[in-house]
Amino acid sequence: MSEPDKFEDDLLYAMTRTGEGFRTEQGELVAGGLVRGRRRWRRRSAAAVVSGAAALALVGTGAFYLSGSTGASPVASATIGAAAAPTATGTTGTATPTAAQSSAAAPISGGEVLATFQALLPKGQVTDAKGTGTDKDGGRTAYANLVFDDGQGKSLMGLSIQKHRKGQSQPRTCPADLKLASLDSCATTTLPDGSQLVLSQGYEYPNHRATTKEWFASLIRPDGGEIFLSEWNSAQEKGAPDSRPDPALTLDQLKAIVTDKSWDRVVAAVKYDGVDPAVEDPGLTPEEKQATLAKLLPAGFQVASARNANGNVTTYQVTGGQTSGGLIVRVDYWGRPYDDKDLQQRAEKDRQAMFKDATTLPDGTKVAVAAADQVNPKASPARVEVLRPDGLHVQVVNGPGDKPLFTLDQLKAIATSPEWKLKK
C-alpha cells in the first residue's frame, strides 16, 4: 500500500471511531492482521467518543488510540474448582456473581467481573488477578486479567467486554491462508442466537521470534456486546519463557466461557462505546453527497472514485488534468442530542475546543481553518471545519501528497457552500 493510501486509511479510522483501516502490503496477511489488530486495540484501549475536534487533532498523527487506565484492583491468589464459588477482594470489593445482586443497569465492580470469570474456569490456581468494572472509566469497558495454573504450568488470560451500537461492531474474519497469517487454526461461526464467534490459535509474534502461543475467542452478540478472551502458554504476554506447551484452555473451553449467560449482567451494565450513527446522520445518500461535491470542485476537477468509511465520511479520488489526489469529506448532523449524557458532555466539550478560535460568518456559521504543516504537510494537510446554525457539520481535508490538491481557500469554499443541505 502506498503511503497516501495508508494515511487516508488511518485518518478514516480516526474520523469514524471504528478502528478500521490499518493494512499492510501482504494481501492475505491482512485478514490475520485485522483479527489481531482489532482484537488488540479492543483489549488495550479505552473506548471513547471521537468527535470532529479529535479528528482534527488526529490528522497530524495519522492514528488514534486512547490508552485507558484499567483502574484494576489486585487479588493475591485463589484456588478454584468446578463447583467453587470464588470471591475477589481488593479496592473494588468482594463479590460472587448472582443474578439477584443488582439490577441489570446497576454498575458492576471489578471484583464482580473477576469473580464471574473465575467461576467459569476449570479447577486450578489463580494468581495475579485484576478486575475492572463498569464503575470505572465511564462504564464503557470491563476487564479481567489473571494467571491460571491447572497443574500443567502457568497461562496468562485476559478478558475484555465492550458494547457496540448496531452497525459499529468490527467484523472478524479468518484468512484464507492460515500459514501466511501465522495461525494454526481459525474458524468463524454464527451461533443460533445470531452471535458471531471467532476461535483462533496463533502466536504472540507472527514472525515466530518467540514460541509463545496466543489463542483467543471473540463473541459479538446481537445486543452489541463483545466478549473477548485471550490466553497464552506463558505467565506473561511478552518477554517471558513459555511455561507450558499450549495455553491452558481448549477452544471449546474458550467458547464455553465467552458464551456463558453469566455475562449478561455485565454486558447490560456496560455502556455503548461510541456515538449512535443515527444521531449524526444528515440524511444524505452517498450519491447525493458525491453530486454536491462534484458541483463544488474547482473548474477542471472531477470525482474519479469514492470510498465510504461509513455513512458520514467518504474519501474521494479527485482528478484534474495531470493532477490527482485524495479529498476526505465528512458531512454529519450535530443538532440532535445523544441519549448518553456523558457522551453529550464530552462531544460538546470537544466541539467548543474545535471552534474556540473559529471565524463566525454573518449567518452564524462557524469556520475553523488549519493550514498544512510546513515541516511535514504529508502528515498534517490543510483542513477546514464548518458548523452551521442548523447543526450541519462539514469537514474537508486534503489527502496527503508532495503538493496539496487544493488551496486552503478552495477547501473553505467547498466546506462553507450552501449546497450542503440537511435532509433530516
Side-chain angles (χ1 to χ4, degrees), residues 13 18-23 30-45 65 162 169-173 226 228:
Y13 164 82
T18 62
E20 298 291 322
F22 292 96
R23 298 182 289 173
V30 168
L34 287 178
V35 169
R36 298 178 188 282
R38 294 171 185 165
R39 172 257 303 167
R40 277 208 172 86
W41 182 83
R42 285 295 178 195
R43 188 179 69 237
R44 294 175 177 170
S45 65
Y65 291 90
Q162 290 182 294
S169 59
Q170 299 178 14
R172 303 188 186 281
T173 59
E226 179 177 8
F228 189 93

Side-chain angles (χ1 to χ4, degrees), residues 85-88 94-97 109-120 144 263:
T87 61
T94 301
T96 299
S109 71
E112 290 177 276
V113 177
L114 185 57
T116 301
F117 185 20
Q118 289 183 218
L120 297 173
W263 294 118

Side-chain angles (χ1 to χ4, degrees), residues 1-2 7 48 63 76 110 169 209 222 230 265 271 286 359 362 395 398:
M1 169 178 285
S2 68
F7 173 89
S169 59
R209 65 177 183 268
S230 280
R265 284 186 65 248
K271 294 182 180 180
T359 299
Q395 182 188 62
N398 260 336

Side-chain angles (χ1 to χ4, degrees), residues 349-360 366-368:
K349 183 178 180 180
D350 281 346
R351 293 166 188 178
Q352 289 174 4
M354 178 195 309
F355 291 101
K356 179 181 178 181
D357 300 317
T359 299
T360 301
K366 295 181 178 180
V367 183

Side-chain angles (χ1 to χ4, degrees), residues 326-402:
L327 187 68
I328 300 173
V329 179
R330 173 176 180 161
V331 182
D332 47 11
Y333 178 51
W334 285 7
R336 188 178 296 108
Y338 305 133
D339 58 8
D340 186 308
K341 292 183 179 179
D342 182 50
L343 290 180
Q344 182 70 35
Q345 292 173 353
R346 293 165 67 185
E348 289 175 355
K349 183 178 180 180
D350 281 346
R351 293 166 188 178
Q352 289 174 4
M354 178 195 309
F355 291 101
K356 179 181 178 181
D357 300 317
T359 299
T360 301
L361 303 182
D363 66 353
T365 297
K366 295 181 178 180
V367 183
V369 176
D373 187 288
Q374 296 300 311
V375 177
N376 191 0
K378 288 185 178 181
S380 184
R383 56 211 183 264
V384 176
E385 201 93 16
V386 172
L387 181 60
R388 296 197 326 205
D390 62 0
L392 182 69
H393 167 246
V394 181
Q395 182 188 62
V396 182
V397 183
N398 260 336
D402 294 323

Side-chain angles (χ1 to χ4, degrees), residues 147-207:
V147 175
F148 176 74
D149 191 343
D150 57 1
Q152 303 300 314
K154 294 183 177 181
S155 181
L156 173 66
M157 297 182 182
L159 179 138
S160 66
I161 298 175
Q162 290 182 294
K163 190 158 62 177
H164 319 300
R165 295 184 186 277
K166 185 177 181 180
Q168 288 187 319
S169 59
Q170 299 178 14
R172 303 188 186 281
T173 59
C174 291
D177 191 330
L178 296 182
K179 183 177 180 180
L180 184 60
S182 191
L183 297 175
D184 290 334
S185 72
C186 184
T188 60
T189 306
T190 300
L191 303 182
D193 68 351
S195 296
Q196 301 294 316
L197 175 70
V198 176
L199 298 174
S200 175
Q201 293 177 311
Y203 298 83
E204 177 60 30
Y205 299 100
N207 63 2

